[in-house]
Amino acid sequence: MQFQKAAALFLVLIALAGCRSRYIATTITNDTASPVSVVQVDYPSASFGTQSLAPGQTFSYRFKIQGSGPLKMTWLTADRKEMHANGPTLSEGQEGQLAIHLRSNADPTFAFTSINGH
């Protein structure tokens, strides 16, 4: 009886150890010389953003992907010009790190590093 309880507890602990949510850890860095505002990132099934980013400032956010599709980004420059950029295509179940760098006079860079091989 004692062995059965210990075995059941062991199985529950193994199951719980494998139950964690996969997410994308994202950073958006303003590598320009001017502040940007109304920064929004749209990803499959939702979006996130920040009201402003000063030069050199980084904003961090974690999100879970449900569905699949391209990442899209919009922001306003210091002179209130609306900018648009397309990032990588993301799929449900992916996990990793995404670094977005806003650059002066150039499209932003998107660097996605997968943790789980998807």
Side-chain angles (χ1 to χ4, degrees):
M1 186 68 153
Q2 198 67 308
F3 175 75
Q4 289 176 333
K5 286 182 183 178
L9 179 61
F10 179 73
L11 290 175
V12 168
L13 291 174
I14 296 259
L16 289 175
C19 293
R20 67 175 186 82
S21 182
R22 293 182 174 166
Y23 62 86
I24 306 294
T26 305
T27 57
I28 304 170
T29 303
N30 180 3
D31 290 333
T32 72
S34 303
V36 296
S37 60
V38 194
V39 179
Q40 181 169 327
V41 176
D42 296 314
Y43 61 94
S45 78
S47 64
F48 68 92
T50 183
Q51 209 41 47
S52 64
L53 277 175
Q57 185 178 12
T58 297
F59 172 76
S60 299
Y61 189 82
R62 295 185 341 175
F63 64 93
K64 181 177 180 172
I65 303 171
Q66 294 180 323
S68 63
L71 184 134
K72 297 177 183 181
M73 185 172 176
T74 60
W75 69 98
L76 296 177
T77 62
D79 60 356
R80 308 297 290 168
K81 182 178 176 185
E82 186 171 288
M83 305 297 289
H84 301 267
N86 293 322
T89 296
L90 302 174
S91 299
E92 190 166 338
Q94 280 185 305
E95 180 175 26
Q97 297 178 341
L98 174 63
I100 303 170
H101 288 267
L102 298 175
R103 305 179 306 155
S104 297
N105 303 318
D107 288 335
T109 60
F110 296 87
F112 178 68
T113 305
S114 178
I115 292 175
N116 63 352
H118 278 102

